[in-house]
Every structure is written in structure tokens, then in C-alpha cells.
Amino acid sequence: MAIDLLHTASVAAGNHGIPVVVAGHHFGNASGMAPRSHIAVYKALYKSFGGFAADVVAAIDQAAQDGVDIISLSITPNRRPPGIATFFNPIDMALLSAVKAGIFVVQAAGNTGPSPKSMSSFSPWIFTVGAASHDRTYANSIILGNNVTIPGVGLAPGTDESKMYTLISAVHALCNDTTLANDMYVGECQDSSNFDQELIEGNLLICSYSIRFVLGLSTIKQALQTAKNLSAAGVVFYMDPFVIGFQLNPTPMRMPGIIIPSTDDSKVQVLLQYYNSSLERDGLSRKIVRFGAVATISGGLKANYSMTAPKVMYYSARGPDPEDSFLDDADILKPNLVAPGHLIWAAWSALGTDSVEFQGESFAMMSGTSMAAPHVAGLAALIKQKFPQFSPAAIASALSTTASLYDKSGGPIMAQRAYANPDVNQSPATPFDMGSGFVNATSALDPGLIFDSTFNDYMSFLCGINGSGPVVFNYTGQNCWVYNSTIGGADLNLPSITIAKLNQSKTVERSVTNIAGNETYKVGWSAPYGVSMKVTPIHFFIGTGEKQVLTITFNATMNNTAASFGRIGLFGDHGHNINIPLSIVSKSS
């Protein structure tokens, strides 16, 4: 998913307080996460073509040589890597070298959700970010003459609120020499010469939004130009029923307009039923003699603030992390966390052609895990500035252990479960949807305790994979026999614990380092369903710079192959709270 580099770079480190002006409307001021950072951008992918892993690897190597602190990758492979483990692919291995050089690496989880194991970022040394919503939404509506209000999308001004305007369907306003027979797409309003200006002038023009808009064969921009040429008061787009499951982003419009995005078609039916029932026709010729339907459009330029944010977006890729091409589960939690990725305003090249709706604009609103990753990259730069000695694993730990588990209203963060009608199909997010939770920028700068790991730990993990010796040597030039002990994924010192197969019982250890003042911690936990567990010690004092080992034992209490989740909390008496998500997939007692 090659995304406009300007957009993602400005999310991470764009200047502070820049006015967002699109289609002549002001949407407030924007700032990157770390506005005083220096940015290096490496071009390795190309529009519509994509690119080769070799070019991405070269870009990663060049970034490391240039001395960067953070690498943000809003790209993922387009297929799951073959071979003995997903971790052995050119990009993950190049990023391992970057981590060895002390670089924190962030990668988008991928936009292949919401199905399980849809993850496209695999390795424990990579910080994988999924996409969540934020609380700022834009919505407008059309109020019909029969007092029915239909919500829609469109970053558009409204009509005069004190006035109702006549609705005229494009297919009922054709010139004498235009017929549906010679242009079946005429209802998409792409060419003003097809229409009778006298009929449309001062009225609301109804246009259809078909699959051709999704494919880029027709555009909102062109339909608006048609409406302007015909002196329409505004435009109403209704979604063709064949555009199934397509999620529409708000689209900037210079004139009053609305897109009714309902894919279940009911809202569209309400509009068309009202419109058709209000037509008066001649008894003999059946020609329309009067357009009786009227409406007014309320504007969508002002943001509304929703109480149910954040929520994990339907397209955000989900765990469990696939370990190999057989889709065996890895003992590693993915994604690591979620960050704002939906409807993100950021800088845009006026010459950019990726989105015709934002052509000629300096800002664009985009959605995807590609937008979530640079949010975290920018925050990582702030952590690195405050703690220059932090390893990549320490930065990852600070972000993970402080993540939020609750939405704005104090309820659990929800995850959308379906592509069609995602807000109807949702349930509380699990660690396989959101990792440790939703990024908390303020708390991440004061994590209290950190979980650290080194390059050698990752090598011991890779060498522990059956038959990995030759592959490890091929990628790293190092022999596995140098690492006299190997470890499994669950034994890596990560700020999470994932066990794909719990056979009766398993004990793991985690080591925390205190980077704050002296503090006393209490330990609490909730066990995953079908598992009993114990953590020792249950309270401890830890001085500045000291380490403490926690021993965690899991016992399966039933046979079950459905994933279940829990968490461990470390609660410090100086206000530091550490959150460790637990995921157990298959259990046999």
C-alpha cells in the first residue's frame, strides 16, 4: 500500500499550527506528532506499480547509514512470506538489522481486516500499528419536504436553511437529444451538455454514485462541475445498490452537496420514494408536468465529536500473528497497539493524483493503517528525545504498557467486525484487534517500568525455530551455534504474553527495569478463560535503575481451541500503571 509520502511524513512530523484549507473551506489547524523532528524520505515504491522488496531493503539500509532514529513503514508485503517462518522475509530481516543499529521500526498492520490472521507485519522487533477512529467526525444531512432527515457524507456547505429547494433527478432533466438509451451513465452527471439548464437552475440535482466512481471512471469533482455549469443550488448523490460494502470517505465539495452512502439501500429508497411519489405527470403522455419534491441540505463542514471513539476500524488487520504459511499461530502479539488511522487530515501534494477528489489541494483526508503508523513514529521520536539511551525495545515497551483500554465514555474500546455496516457489527476489542490498546501519548513519556530486549534475544528466538539455521545464516551471516541457548516467542521479554498452544502448564518470566524514582508495585491479574494462573511476586519495591523478574505460571483447566484473553496489571504507589495483555489460543488440560 504505497501512500502519498507527504501525507504520512506530515502526520509524523509536520509543522505545528498549519491551517487546513480544502475546497476553500477552513477545517482548523494541523500539527504533526513531533513537529520539530528532522525527516528523511526514501522513495522505493511507485504509483499503480508498487515495487520490489529489494528497493525497500535498500531504502532501510540507506536510512540506517544516514543515522535515523525511527523508521516508519506504511507498507506491507502483498502476500504472506513462504518458507519456514513469516519472520524470514527480506523486509523483516532488513528491519532486524536496523534494530541492531538502535533504530526503532514502526510498520502498518495492513488494511486486510477484519478476519483473523490477516496481519501483514510479523516480527517481535517490529512495532506493528493497527488503525482506530478518533472522535472527530463530519456528517451532513438532507431534510426532505415530508420532514424525513437522511444522514450522509460530504465536506460541503449547506443550502440556505430557511428555504426548501426543488429536487430534480438528472435522468428527468435531459436535453431533447439525450436519452438513457444512448448514455446509460448519464445519471452520474459527468457532462453538462446532456442536461436542460432551465430545469436544473436554482434546484437540487440528484445524481447516481455507481461503481464507476469507485473505479475512478466518474468523479464527484466532475459532477460538481456539471452542477455548477447548470447553476444548480446543490447536488444530492445516492449510492447505486450495486456498490456493495463500499465505505465512503467524506469528500470535499465547493458547493452544497451530500452523498447518501447507505449500502443497505433503505435510506436511498426513502429519498427516491419521496421524489417519485411527488412527481405530477400528464394523464395521457405520462410526461412530468411538475416536480413536487423539495429538500434542504444541512452543511457538513463543522466537526462533530463522538463519544464512542476510539474504535478499531473494520479494515485494520487482526491477529493472531501467523508464524508460517500453514497459518500456525506465533507466540507473539500482533498488532502491538492501535492509533488514529481513520479520516486523518494531513499534507498533500497539489500535483498528487492518488485521489482525484483532493487534486490541487494542499491537504487530504485519508484512512488506513498507513495513517496510524506515522502517529506512533512521531510519538516514538518524542520518547527518544526524552530518553536518548532507550533501546528500540524500551521505546516499544513505553508505548505498549501505557496504552489505553477504554474509549472516551469510559466503556471498552470496540472493534468493528464486518466490512458492510461496520457500526452495527461490533464487539469489545481483544488484544488480537488492538494489541495493548490505544496509544496514550502523555503516559508513554512516563512509563515507570520498561521491558527491554536486545538483538541477541531476537537471534536466540530465530535460532529456536526448527530448521532455521541455514536461513538465519543466509540473512544475518551469523551461525546459530554461537547462541548456546534458544528461546520461544513466549519467552522473549515482551510487554505481552501470547501462548499459541498451552499444553497443561507453562511458566514464563518477564524482567522489568525501573526508569523512574523508587516505587512499590502491587501485582494484579485476570486469567484468560479456561486457564488458571499465578504471578510472583505479588508486590515488590524497586529502586531507580533496578530490575525485577516476574514469574508467571499458566495452567490449562479445560480443552479448548478458542482464543481467550486476560491481563496483568502492575500498580505503582507513585501512579505508574503497567498493562500486560495475555492471549492463550489452544488449551489442553
Side-chain angles (χ1 to χ4, degrees), residues 138-141 143 154-159 161 256-257 297-302 304:
Y138 297 90
N140 55 354
S141 55
I143 299 108
L155 296 165
T159 50
E161 283 178 22
I297 296 172
S298 74
L301 299 177
K302 268 186 80 114
N304 306 309

Side-chain angles (χ1 to χ4, degrees), residues 215-491:
L215 300 173
L217 302 172
S218 297
T219 68
I220 298 277
K221 213 164 201 172
Q222 192 51 48
L224 293 170
Q225 189 58 51
T226 296
K228 189 180 171 194
N229 293 346
L230 299 168
S231 306
V235 191
V236 180
F237 295 93
Y238 68 88
M239 199 74 111
D240 186 301
F242 295 107
V243 189
I244 297 165
F246 179 66
Q247 300 296 324
L248 199 67
N249 284 341
T251 303
M253 304 184 197
R254 288 185 182 268
M255 69 190 299
I258 185 170
I259 309 170
I260 300 168
S262 166
T263 43
D264 65 7
D265 211 23
S266 60
K267 297 182 182 77
V268 171
Q269 288 302 340
V270 168
L271 170 75
L272 296 181
Q273 224 160 6
Y274 167 66
Y275 172 79
N276 288 323
S277 67
S278 305
L279 294 173
E280 285 181 26
R281 295 178 183 269
D282 180 273
L284 289 172
S285 68
R286 304 303 297 151
K287 276 192 173 164
I288 298 168
V289 292
R290 182 173 165 270
F291 295 91
V294 292
T296 187
I297 296 172
S298 74
L301 299 177
K302 268 186 80 114
N304 306 309
Y305 293 90
S306 131
M307 287 305 288
T308 54
K311 65 174 67 166
V312 182
M313 299 310 298
Y314 63 91
Y315 50 76
S316 187
R318 309 296 164 93
D321 186 11
E323 184 179 58
D324 50 38
S325 51
F326 301 112
L327 285 181
D328 291 326
D329 297 332
D331 287 342
I332 290 154
L333 179 61
K334 293 288 169 182
N336 292 78
L337 50 64
V338 292
H342 195 60
L343 304 181
I344 302 298
W345 281 121
W348 194 252
S349 166
L351 303 174
T353 54
D354 285 22
S355 169
V356 68
E357 314 310 349
F358 290 100
Q359 242 169 335
E361 304 289 357
S362 300
F363 277 85
M365 183 188 274
M366 299 276 126
S367 295
T369 55
S370 289
M371 281 68 248
H375 277 88
V376 172
L379 296 177
L382 298 179
I383 296 170
K384 182 79 174 174
Q385 181 185 33
K386 184 173 178 184
F387 302 104
Q389 78 287 3
F390 265 20
S391 68
I395 297 174
S397 172
L399 287 159
S400 296
T401 60
T402 57
S404 172
L405 300 169
Y406 303 99
D407 71 10
K408 246 178 77 170
S409 64
I413 292 173
M414 302 297 277
Q416 297 179 336
R417 303 273 172 217
Y419 194 77
N421 299 320
D423 277 339
V424 179
N425 297 292
Q426 57 180 28
S427 57
T430 73
F432 290 160
D433 303 314
M434 65 171 180
S436 291
F438 183 78
V439 66
N440 182 328
T442 311
S443 298
L445 289 165
D446 182 20
L449 304 176
I450 54 144
F451 295 74
D452 212 350
S453 298
T454 64
F455 172 76
N456 284 352
D457 295 330
Y458 301 131
M459 289 295 288
S460 296
F461 158 69
L462 291 173
C463 289
I465 296 168
N466 206 2
S468 65
V471 197
V472 170
F473 184 77
N474 182 32
Y475 274 115
T476 66
Q478 296 197 15
N479 277 306
C480 272
W481 50 258
V482 179
Y483 299 90
N484 49 17
S485 67
T486 60
I487 56 173
D491 300 309

